[in-house]
């Protein structure tokens, strides 16, 4: 079974940074990431969540603080070992 990664997508970077700070304060690990084009052509940043169990807590935080998001998208982890190798 393929490993899944979850991306929280935002209409602008301010919402992404606000949620990132709030989650960090709560001890919920996320990572700021470029938005994968397979997920959206929206704002350039998203939050990468590797553990599906954390999605419920993240949704609660979004609702509690009324942070505007576009969606939470799950994609297969794309590991191409030859990406960005030119020699």
């Amino acid at each position: 079974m393929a490993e899944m990664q979850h991306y929280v997508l935002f209409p602008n970077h301010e919402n992404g940074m606000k949620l990132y700070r709030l989650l960090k304060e709560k001890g919920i690990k996320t990572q700021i990431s470029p938005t994968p084009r397979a997920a959206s052509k929206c704002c350039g940043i998203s939050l990468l969540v590797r553990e599906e169990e954390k999605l419920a807590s993240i949704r609660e935080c979004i609702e509690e603080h009324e942070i505007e998001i576009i969606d939470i998208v799950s994609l297969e982890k794309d590991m191409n070992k030859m990406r960005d190798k030119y020699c």
Side-chain angles (χ1 to χ4, degrees):
M1 189 164 123
E3 184 179 343
M4 299 299 286
Q5 297 186 128
H6 313 280
Y7 294 88
V8 183
L9 308 178
F10 302 94
N12 57 55
H13 75 281
E14 288 94 359
N15 288 331
M17 295 306 297
K18 181 178 179 181
L19 181 59
Y20 177 75
R21 283 190 299 275
L22 289 166
L23 294 174
K24 190 172 183 177
E25 288 173 10
K26 292 179 181 255
I28 299 173
K29 188 175 179 180
T30 62
Q31 181 178 340
I32 298 172
S33 171
T35 301
R37 294 298 156 224
S40 176
K41 292 182 171 89
C42 67
C43 170
I45 73 159
S46 61
L47 292 185
L48 172 59
V49 182
R50 290 194 170 91
E51 299 173 39
E52 189 168 348
E53 310 83 59
K54 295 184 179 182
L55 291 178
S57 299
I58 292 170
R59 284 188 175 99
E60 287 175 18
C61 187
I62 290 168
E63 289 178 22
E64 178 183 340
H65 296 280
E66 298 179 351
I67 297 173
E68 185 180 358
I69 68 166
I70 294 174
D71 201 0
I72 298 177
V73 177
S74 299
L75 298 172
E76 276 188 31
K77 186 173 183 179
D78 181 19
M79 290 301 296
N80 180 348
K81 293 180 182 179
M82 296 306 293
R83 182 180 300 153
D84 297 330
K85 289 191 178 182
Y86 302 104
C87 296

